[in-house]
Amino acid sequence: MIIERDTSTLWAWAAALAVVSGLFTIVVQPLVERWGLRQKWMPRCLELQRHVSIGMGTPKDWCDDEHCLRAWAGGILAFMFHATCGSLMLPVVIYGWGASETYQDMFLFGSLLDLGWDLFSQIQVYVATFHGDVSDRWGWARCPRGLFPFIVMHHALAYIIVVPMDNKYAHLPDYHQVCLSLLGAAACATIKMRCLFARALYENECATLDHLREAVTTLEDAERIARRVLGGAHPLTIKIGRDLRKSRATLRAREDPRAESIRLHMRLLKHASACRDANCPSANCRKMKDLMRHGATCTTRVQGGCAICRRIWALLQIHARQCTRGSCPVPKCASLKAQLAQMQHQGAEGETTTAS
């Protein structure tokens, strides 16, 4: 065998492969970025990457095209490393440890390459999280601090088990499955990323119908893969199914012209209520402000038959039923929510009285 199975040698291999991983990333990532910029689909890809980054907690002001390009290229390289490691392990998983010493070396090299990549990735993420200026100089996407613990835990299992198991128990079939499961965890993370991307689409108030249809298609694919790989009872599969139902409901509501009109009016009402720009470029914003100003000064009001007041009142009531914010800038939102809550309470008391 080329790789000697003792602790010091295995850690030396892991450290050397971490250096190789770092050099590979520094050299190849700019090439991947330049290749991507030449593709016609890259502007759309950057927009999707921006949604994913924001959904993972990256501040919006970080998510310019340069950051999104770096994050996308980093993801491509991570996929390449994990795919390579898994390919090297497969012969032992399929044919067994005793089939060939070449397969044994390939398995050990694959597991140590994955460990080396994790070691380098840990350093890279630490720099990207706590030393943003250094990260910018090296061309790495900055990482929000809230994501750092997740990445540390994501790599922790590899640090703990790979070298001891390669040293003492590399011949065990169960370990071969566990080692591939580390890469399988990366596959689960990929499924989660697709779901996060879909959520970023269907929860975005500015999403178009095409965006919503893409979210539904993405979640349908993710659910099908999760059911086949993880099983229907797996928590991730259940969560994907829940997100799929929400995305379909959102799409159905948007395809209904009346519901779409109400949604646009609600969005405009919230914007106009919070907008303090006297020269707001939105003509609809000015119109909504005029309507709200009329509602505040009209002496005829709904009781006197004012059609404009009736329209405003209907919009305010619809908003109050949907609003979950504690302090909302929309006029009369708090009082209308209190009235609706009181009416629901009285209705519940009436049902209790009738039942008894």
Side-chain angles (χ1 to χ4, degrees):
M1 294 180 66
I2 297 175
I3 302 176
E4 294 295 331
R5 290 169 57 192
D6 63 81
T7 301
S8 58
T9 302
L10 292 172
W11 274 114
W13 271 91
L17 291 171
V19 174
V20 171
S21 299
L23 293 174
F24 182 86
T25 300
I26 292 169
V27 172
V28 175
Q29 181 164 331
L31 301 178
V32 175
E33 292 173 5
R34 287 198 289 270
W35 173 80
L37 288 173
R38 294 196 298 269
Q39 309 308 311
K40 294 181 180 179
W41 41 260
M42 182 49 68
R44 172 64 174 156
C45 181
L46 293 178
E47 186 61 28
L48 299 180
Q49 179 63 52
R50 184 173 292 109
H51 283 297
V52 171
S53 296
I54 293 171
M56 294 181 70
T58 305
K60 289 185 179 180
D61 56 343
W62 289 11
C63 296
D64 55 12
D65 284 350
E66 185 178 23
H67 170 90
C68 294
L69 179 63
R70 290 174 174 177
W72 170 81
I76 294 294
L77 290 179
F79 172 79
M80 291 169 59
F81 266 95
H82 284 303
T84 301
C85 295
S87 300
L88 290 168
M89 295 179 193
L90 276 177
V92 162
V93 175
I94 296 172
Y95 299 110
W97 180 258
S100 166
E101 286 193 0
T102 301
Y103 291 168
Q104 295 174 14
D105 280 326
M106 289 172 61
F107 181 89
L108 293 173
F109 187 80
S111 64
L112 293 170
L113 178 60
D114 189 59
L115 177 58
W117 166 259
D118 286 344
L119 291 170
F120 163 72
S121 179
Q122 195 69 68
I123 297 170
Q124 182 187 36
V125 172
Y126 174 81
V127 172
T129 304
F130 300 104
H131 301 282
D133 53 340
V134 179
S135 177
D136 292 340
R137 286 199 297 272
W138 283 98
W140 300 336
R142 293 195 179 195
C143 177
R145 295 197 175 194
L147 193 59
F148 183 74
F150 165 77
I151 296 176
V152 171
M153 296 304 296
H154 174 69
H155 293 158
L157 189 59
Y159 304 151
I160 294 170
I161 75 166
V162 169
V163 169
M165 293 297 291
D166 278 355
N167 184 20
K168 298 291 185 180
Y169 304 105
H171 61 285
L172 294 179
D174 288 345
Y175 171 57
H176 305 156
Q177 297 174 14
V178 168
C179 213
L180 269 184
S181 296
L182 293 175
L183 300 176
C188 289
T190 302
I191 296 175
K192 289 179 182 177
M193 289 290 289
R194 294 187 67 188
C195 297
L196 183 62
F197 158 66
R199 285 185 60 190
L201 288 179
Y202 78 77
E203 291 182 353
N204 185 1
E205 291 185 351
C206 301
T208 65
L209 283 173
D210 286 340
H211 288 155
L212 294 177
R213 293 187 184 108
E214 185 173 359
V216 171
T217 302
T218 299
L219 288 169
E220 286 175 344
D221 290 343
E223 186 191 38
R224 184 166 54 252
I225 293 170
R227 283 187 180 280
R228 186 168 62 247
V229 176
L230 305 175
H234 194 278
L236 179 58
T237 308
I238 295 172
K239 186 177 183 305
I240 295 172
R242 191 160 53 241
D243 287 341
L244 178 58
R245 290 191 293 273
K246 289 181 182 179
S247 66
R248 285 171 172 167
T250 304
L251 178 60
R252 283 196 299 270
R254 289 284 297 277
E255 287 177 334
D256 181 354
R258 184 174 179 276
E260 174 67 0
S261 176
I262 292 173
R263 188 191 70 85
L264 292 174
H265 276 84
M266 292 299 100
R267 181 180 164 195
L268 179 59
L269 177 64
K270 287 189 286 186
H271 166 80
S273 300
C275 180
R276 299 293 179 265
D277 186 359
N279 299 315
C280 181
S282 171
N284 289 328
C285 176
R286 293 194 293 272
K287 290 179 182 178
M288 183 60 74
K289 287 178 179 176
D290 290 340
L291 287 175
M292 291 190 293
R293 194 175 299 114
H294 170 89
T297 59
C298 180
T299 56
T300 305
R301 298 196 174 277
V302 176
Q303 294 84 347
C306 178
I308 298 177
C309 287
R310 187 180 297 112
R311 180 184 175 190
I312 297 170
W313 192 249
L315 291 175
L316 293 176
Q317 286 182 318
I318 294 172
H319 168 80
R321 291 191 184 96
Q322 298 175 351
C323 182
T324 58
R325 296 178 60 178
S327 57
C328 180
V330 174
K332 299 186 180 298
C333 179
S335 59
L336 284 172
K337 282 193 287 190
Q339 291 177 14
L340 290 169
Q342 185 178 6
M343 290 171 60
Q344 290 176 351
H345 180 67
Q346 291 174 348
E349 286 184 345
E351 290 178 1
T352 303
T353 305
T354 303
S356 57

